[in-house]
């Protein structure tokens, strides 16, 4: 399997499961905000991360 095949498979899985991935990003952001503070900055980064995912917003 070459890199392009792996990348395409990963993109397919992200697209098919984008809601779960979004939820995971939200949970990680909540954890980080609870641990380190900076809620607004962490939320902003989480939203930007979601924008890079296929099948999302």
């Amino acid at each position: 399997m070459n890199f392009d095949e792996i990348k395409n498979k990963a993109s397919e899985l992200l697209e098919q499961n984008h809601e779960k991935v979004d939820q995971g990003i939200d949970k990680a952001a909540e954890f980080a905000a609870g641990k380190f503070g900076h809620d607004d900055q962490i939320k902003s980064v989480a939203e930007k991360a979601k924008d890079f995912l296929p099948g999302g917003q």
Side-chain angles (χ1 to χ4, degrees):
M1 197 176 252
N2 65 33
F3 179 76
D4 286 332
E5 290 172 343
I6 294 169
K7 184 183 97 175
N8 291 339
K9 185 63 176 173
S11 290
E12 279 178 34
L13 290 172
L14 285 171
E15 229 175 282
Q16 293 169 359
N17 297 294
H18 69 88
E19 290 178 11
K20 289 181 182 177
V21 175
D22 282 355
Q23 290 171 355
I25 291 172
D26 289 339
K27 285 185 180 186
E30 286 177 28
F31 173 79
K35 189 88 168 164
F36 304 109
H38 307 284
D39 297 5
D40 291 337
Q41 292 91 343
I42 291 172
K43 185 176 180 179
S44 175
V45 170
E47 292 304 317
K48 287 179 184 176
K50 290 179 194 179
D51 290 341
F52 285 104
L53 298 174
Q57 303 171 356

